[in-house]
Amino acid sequence: MSEKQITVTSPLLPNLDEFNEMLKDIWASKWVTNMGQFHKQLEQALCDYLKVPYISLFTNGTLPLLTALQALRITGEVITTPYSFVATTHSIWWNGCRPVFVDIEEETCGIDPDKIEAAITPKTTAIMPVHCYGKPVKMKRIQEIADKYGLKVIYDAAHAFGVEVDGESVLNAGDMSTLSFHATKVYNTLEGGALVTHDEQTKKRIDYLKNFGFAGETEVVAPGINSKVDEVRCAYGLLNLMQVDQAIAKRQKVAQKYREALRNVPGIRFFDDMPGVRHNYSYFPIFINAEEYGKTRDELYFEMREKNVLGRRYFYPLISSFSTYRSLPSATTENLPVATKIANEVICLPMHHELTEKDIERIIGLIKK
Ligand SMILES: Cc1ncc(COP(=O)(O)O)c(C=O)c1O
């Protein structure tokens, strides 16, 4: 009989009795959506937890990306990386802009600031970096370039819930940052997301845009979309926020165990904590040098699957290799050597708050075999 399946992630779920109590309130009020009391409470609670001034909730992590580009009236070309989830690049395409891929750096798996300037043309209007795996990219360098060329910066911070550098949230960098609260994320509202803004006026505009563009009962100020979050998910989100620190602490322990066990395995590389950074341990990627390890990434990945341990080749294939984007001039392998290498080396190991010592031993045993 095969051993129990170990999944790459597991959703953080609120206590069902507590959730039921909140559902009773919603049922009693009959105010089920359209910015109700739990919606207001969750936006405030997230501002406090994340140390950001303004947040707007969305129904997923893709719509805030689309809306950020709309709100900032981004046109022409947008610089981004191919080492991300497809939604990052799709949001650029859906806004009628052209994605321009810039390579990543090995150190963070985020955009390489040294390669940004060469990709800027007169049509460039924005940079969309990704805090991949929640590892902060080089925000200061990126901002310097953006300021020099008059570009906007929209961070895809889908992975960076609660991540801080020297006590400051990474979400306060750039013009806006987006979050995903999908069930696979450190903090989830089943499906969900948010857009972080830095001033009241911009928050107001975002709130219009996510509500069809309505600025009042009879006035529509922009071609908005519907991304209003219902009360049920906001209640769920309020409960989950209370236990997210505990979940992050458990993930940190898992990361420590992986690091201790894998530190001296030839051909396996992983990230250590960065100085001054509060990490969220959202993922634990390992990178396999096939020559030194004696096996390719795919050999290990499928061996693990065979034994019911589900890692994830995240992010493989590169976004630039998908049919929609592969003909773009910036999508070539020559332009993206680091991203291409990393995409062929990576496996994200199972990482969540419910992994047991036994699970971790089983996973490590397969890698060390
Ligand atoms: C980097 C990144 N950006 C955007 C998204 C989109 O978020 P959602 O799935 O909530 O729409 C994800 C989700 O996996 C992601 O990983």
Side-chain angles (χ1 to χ4, degrees), residues 112-160:
D112 185 340
D114 288 338
K115 295 182 180 165
I116 294 176
E117 284 195 80
I120 294 173
T121 75
K123 290 187 181 155
T124 312
T125 57
I127 309 173
M128 187 179 271
V130 183
H131 297 297
C132 192
Y133 310 127
K135 285 185 77 69
V137 294
K138 303 215 165 92
M139 294 166 281
K140 198 161 163 276
R141 290 281 314 283
I142 292 168
Q143 196 58 52
E144 279 164 11
I145 297 167
D147 290 344
K148 185 169 160 192
Y149 292 88
L151 309 176
K152 301 286 185 196
V153 185
I154 299 155
Y155 284 98
D156 182 340
H159 299 179

Side-chain angles (χ1 to χ4, degrees), residues 59-65 83-88 130-133 156-159 178-185 190-193 283 312 314-315:
T59 48
N60 57 55
T62 302
L63 282 161
L65 287 167
Y83 194 78
S84 181
F85 186 63
V86 279
T88 315
V130 183
H131 297 297
C132 192
Y133 310 127
D156 182 340
H159 299 179
T178 68
L179 289 161
S180 165
F181 302 153
H182 184 253
T184 52
K185 301 290 189 280
L190 300 171
E191 293 274 354
Y283 300 89
R312 197 167 167 203
Y314 201 56
F315 291 101

Side-chain angles (χ1 to χ4, degrees), residues 206-222:
I206 297 298
D207 287 345
Y208 297 157
L209 282 172
K210 75 166 205 198
N211 185 20
F212 308 99
F214 276 108
E217 205 181 318
T218 52
E219 196 185 8
V220 170
V221 293

Side-chain angles (χ1 to χ4, degrees), residues 43 46-58 61 63-65 67-68 71-72 153-158 160-163 168-181 193-200 202-204 206-207:
E43 284 195 345
L46 283 167
C47 280
D48 295 344
Y49 180 88
L50 296 169
K51 302 186 193 165
V52 300
Y54 299 98
I55 207 163
S56 299
L57 297 178
F58 279 75
L63 282 161
L65 287 167
T67 307
L72 294 168
V153 185
I154 299 155
Y155 284 98
D156 182 340
F161 185 89
V163 174
E168 166 91 27
S169 170
V170 296
L171 304 170
N172 287 324
D175 292 278
M176 293 184 194
S177 291
T178 68
L179 289 161
S180 165
F181 302 153
L195 185 46
V196 174
T197 48
H198 311 324
D199 64 87
E200 200 179 343
T202 311
K203 147 95 175 144
K204 216 184 222 180
I206 297 298
D207 287 345

Side-chain angles (χ1 to χ4, degrees), residues 41-343:
Q41 281 178 33
L42 183 57
E43 284 195 345
Q44 188 53 55
L46 283 167
C47 280
D48 295 344
Y49 180 88
L50 296 169
K51 302 186 193 165
V52 300
Y54 299 98
I55 207 163
S56 299
L57 297 178
F58 279 75
T59 48
N60 57 55
T62 302
L63 282 161
L65 287 167
L66 287 167
T67 307
L69 292 160
Q70 277 287 313
L72 294 168
R73 301 184 187 280
I74 301 302
T75 56
E77 296 176 0
V78 178
I79 289 173
T80 190
T81 63
Y83 194 78
S84 181
F85 186 63
V86 279
T88 315
T89 305
H90 283 351
S91 71
I92 297 168
W93 200 260
W94 270 61
N95 272 275
C97 299
R98 175 189 278 246
V100 174
F101 297 115
V102 163
D103 207 5
I104 58 169
E105 48 173 17
E106 277 202 56
E107 192 188 329
T108 61
C109 287
I111 196 162
D112 185 340
D114 288 338
K115 295 182 180 165
I116 294 176
E117 284 195 80
I120 294 173
T121 75
K123 290 187 181 155
T124 312
T125 57
I127 309 173
M128 187 179 271
V130 183
H131 297 297
C132 192
Y133 310 127
K135 285 185 77 69
V137 294
K138 303 215 165 92
M139 294 166 281
K140 198 161 163 276
R141 290 281 314 283
I142 292 168
Q143 196 58 52
E144 279 164 11
I145 297 167
D147 290 344
K148 185 169 160 192
Y149 292 88
L151 309 176
K152 301 286 185 196
V153 185
I154 299 155
Y155 284 98
D156 182 340
H159 299 179
F161 185 89
V163 174
E164 294 173 10
V165 181
D166 298 328
E168 166 91 27
S169 170
V170 296
L171 304 170
N172 287 324
D175 292 278
M176 293 184 194
S177 291
T178 68
L179 289 161
S180 165
F181 302 153
H182 184 253
T184 52
K185 301 290 189 280
V186 169
Y187 170 78
N188 83 88
T189 56
L190 300 171
E191 293 274 354
L195 185 46
V196 174
T197 48
H198 311 324
D199 64 87
E200 200 179 343
Q201 204 49 40
T202 311
K203 147 95 175 144
K204 216 184 222 180
R205 196 167 142 65
I206 297 298
D207 287 345
Y208 297 157
L209 282 172
K210 75 166 205 198
N211 185 20
F212 308 99
F214 276 108
E217 205 181 318
T218 52
E219 196 185 8
V220 170
V221 293
I225 196 116
N226 177 7
S227 196
K228 291 175 279 114
V229 185
D230 60 77
E231 288 291 280
V232 174
R233 277 200 266 171
C234 291
Y236 178 107
L238 279 165
L239 291 174
N240 253 358
L241 196 56
M242 290 192 255
Q243 52 170 359
V244 71
D245 277 340
Q246 254 175 306
I248 291 174
K250 285 185 184 154
R251 286 167 173 269
Q252 182 177 15
K253 289 216 169 78
V254 176
Q256 274 162 357
K257 296 219 166 81
Y258 278 146
R259 284 171 184 158
E260 276 162 29
L262 300 176
R263 180 138 336 255
N264 296 315
V265 179
I268 302 267
R269 187 173 68 83
F270 52 82
F271 292 128
D272 278 303
D273 285 355
M274 295 160 80
V277 174
R278 180 198 188 238
H279 290 282
N280 65 9
Y281 307 95
S282 47
Y283 300 89
F284 196 88
I286 60 168
F287 306 95
I288 290 153
N289 177 325
E291 226 164 83
E292 286 174 29
Y293 181 61
K295 252 182 234 172
T296 64
R297 183 274 309 275
D298 281 351
E299 280 168 338
L300 175 61
Y301 171 74
F302 286 110
E303 264 176 38
M304 285 167 63
R305 262 179 57 160
E306 190 97 333
K307 300 283 184 212
N308 247 347
V309 173
L310 307 183
R312 197 167 167 203
R313 291 171 294 177
Y314 201 56
F315 291 101
Y316 165 86
L318 291 178
I319 301 173
S320 47
S321 69
F322 293 130
S323 58
T324 320
Y325 304 117
R326 70 169 74 114
S327 61
L328 289 170
S330 63
T332 61
T333 307
E334 298 74 52
N335 187 46
L336 306 164
V338 180
T340 304
K341 173 177 173 283
I342 298 290

